[in-house]
């Protein structure tokens, strides 16, 4: 009579041991899965932190190319062309070519026209105007997101962004987005180079700066795209003096004969 009871107790003890073994296996499996997920996450985070400066640098280079191309197309579409600098110089004193100044009204008109055109082209590029966006190697535009008003969005292969050309275009692609922030800044620049006797080569231009924000996964950066636009250039000739002494007080070495008055 007692034998069956002992068998029942032994069977019950055996089942309890199996449950403990199954529970311990399940716990070890859970810890393994959780540890693997944490390890993968930490590896991705470490890799991302190591490659982030390279991503941002590559994104800045590509963004600079795109923004500069858009600005250049806006400049080329202007109605005004490069003028002769003599056409924008006015005499401060009548009949005195030695005292000249730049016609600020003309320069400001060209400056306003250029800045407005650049603004229009940048806004249209951010809204998905295909003709304003250049075709670059390893750059794929996301026109759906651009049309949604998210700025200029494009993708580059991770191998290119990480400076690993041996992998070609393999691997996932990194999304990069940039948009213009603030207004387009501009200022008038001039350069005067001495040329010959009492003559100078004069260049007048407009320096344009566009601030853009670059956004990559888990990071962003603000950079400035610059462009110099020539407005007028040419040789300004002054009156040739009768005597040339090269600025010294000694006896002049060159004397130009004065033609007789008629």
């Amino acid at each position: 009579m007692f034998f069956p009871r002992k068998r029942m107790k032994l069977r019950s003890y055996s089942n309890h041991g199996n449950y403990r073994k199954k529970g311990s296996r399940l716990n070890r499996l859970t810890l393994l899965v959780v540890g693997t997920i944490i390890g993968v996450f930490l590896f991705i985070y470490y890799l991302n932190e190591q490659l982030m400066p390279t991503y941002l640098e590559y994104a800045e280079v590509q963004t600079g190319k795109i923004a500069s191309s858009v600005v250049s197309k806006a400049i080329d579409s202007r109605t005004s062309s490069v003028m002769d600098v003599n056409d924008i110089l006015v005499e401060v004193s009548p009949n005195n070519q030695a005292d000249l100044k730049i016609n600020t009204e003309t320069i400001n008109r060209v400056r306003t026209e250029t800045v407005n055109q650049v603004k229009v082209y940048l806004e249209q590029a951010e809204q998905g105007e295909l003709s304003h966006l250049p075709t670059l190697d390893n750059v794929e535009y996301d026109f759906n997101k651009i049309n949604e008003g998210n700025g200029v969005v494009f993708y580059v292969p991770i191998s290119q962004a990480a400076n690993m050309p041996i992998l070609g275009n393999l691997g996932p692609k990194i999304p990069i987005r940039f948009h213009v922030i603030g207004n387009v800044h501009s200022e008038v620049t001039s350069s005067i180079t001495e040329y010959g006797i009492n003559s100078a080569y004069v260049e007048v231009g407009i320096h344009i700066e566009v601030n853009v924000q670059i956004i990559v996964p888990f990071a962003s950066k603000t950079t400035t795209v610059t462009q110099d636009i020539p407005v007028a250039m040419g040789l300004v000739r002054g009156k040739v003096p009768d005597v040339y002494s090269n600025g010294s007080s000694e006896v002049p070495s060159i004397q130009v004969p004065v033609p007789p008055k008629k």
Side-chain angles (χ1 to χ4, degrees):
M1 293 179 62
F2 296 99
F3 186 75
R5 291 183 180 179
K6 291 183 178 180
R7 290 182 60 187
M8 290 178 62
K9 289 181 179 181
L10 290 174
R11 186 177 301 173
S12 175
Y13 177 78
S14 178
N15 291 336
H16 181 68
N18 291 335
Y19 290 151
R20 291 182 60 184
K21 291 181 179 179
K22 290 180 180 179
S24 61
R25 290 177 182 174
L26 183 61
N27 291 335
R28 286 198 298 268
L29 181 60
T30 303
L31 291 175
L32 179 62
V33 172
V34 173
T36 303
I37 294 175
I38 295 176
V40 171
F41 176 79
L42 292 176
F43 175 75
I44 294 175
Y45 179 80
Y46 172 79
L47 186 63
N48 183 73
E49 288 296 318
Q50 295 298 315
L51 296 179
M52 185 57 64
T54 307
Y55 292 161
L56 285 175
E57 182 180 356
Y58 187 84
E60 185 176 1
V61 171
Q62 298 299 328
T63 299
K65 291 180 181 180
I66 296 174
S68 297
S69 177
V70 175
V71 173
S72 297
K73 289 184 178 181
I75 295 170
D76 295 339
S77 65
R78 294 181 307 163
T79 56
S80 59
S81 56
V82 179
M83 298 177 289
D84 188 339
V85 72
N86 293 279
D87 296 336
I88 63 171
L89 294 177
V90 293
E91 296 179 355
V92 177
S93 301
N95 300 322
N96 185 8
Q97 293 184 350
D99 194 3
L100 302 173
K101 70 174 183 179
I102 297 175
N103 189 337
T104 56
E105 182 180 353
T106 302
I107 292 298
N108 288 333
R109 176 182 55 80
V110 176
R111 175 183 177 182
T112 302
E113 173 190 336
T114 303
V115 170
N116 290 337
Q117 195 73 359
V118 169
K119 288 181 180 179
V120 170
Y121 268 58
L122 288 172
E123 291 176 357
Q124 291 178 350
E126 290 190 356
Q127 295 172 1
E129 181 62 42
L130 306 184
S131 60
H132 297 343
L133 298 175
T135 301
L136 300 177
D137 295 335
N138 303 319
V139 171
E140 178 184 344
Y141 296 103
D142 191 333
F143 297 109
N144 293 328
K145 291 187 177 181
I146 295 177
N147 292 328
E148 292 174 359
N150 294 322
V152 179
V153 183
F154 59 97
Y155 297 90
V156 295
I158 189 173
S159 57
Q160 296 293 331
N163 196 20
M164 294 183 293
I166 192 173
L167 299 179
N169 293 327
L170 300 177
K173 295 183 178 181
I174 301 175
I176 300 174
R177 177 169 69 92
F178 80 89
H179 62 92
V180 178
I181 54 177
N183 295 322
V184 178
H185 303 282
S186 64
E187 62 179 1
V188 178
T189 60
S190 61
S191 174
I192 302 176
T193 305
E194 185 178 352
Y195 187 88
I197 301 176
N198 204 20
S199 298
Y201 187 79
V202 181
E203 294 182 1
V204 180
I206 300 174
H207 180 74
I208 289 183
E209 294 184 356
V210 181
N211 295 324
V212 297
Q213 184 179 22
I214 306 170
I215 301 175
V216 300
F218 309 110
S220 65
K221 181 180 181 180
T222 302
T223 187
T224 301
V225 178
T226 61
Q227 193 90 350
D228 291 309
I229 307 164
V231 175
M233 60 181 62
L235 187 63
V236 179
R237 299 181 181 274
K239 182 180 178 181
V240 178
D242 298 334
V243 177
Y244 178 70
S245 61
N246 197 21
S248 63
S249 59
E250 301 176 356
V251 178
S253 57
I254 300 177
Q255 185 170 358
V256 180
V258 181
K261 295 183 180 180
K262 296 182 179 181

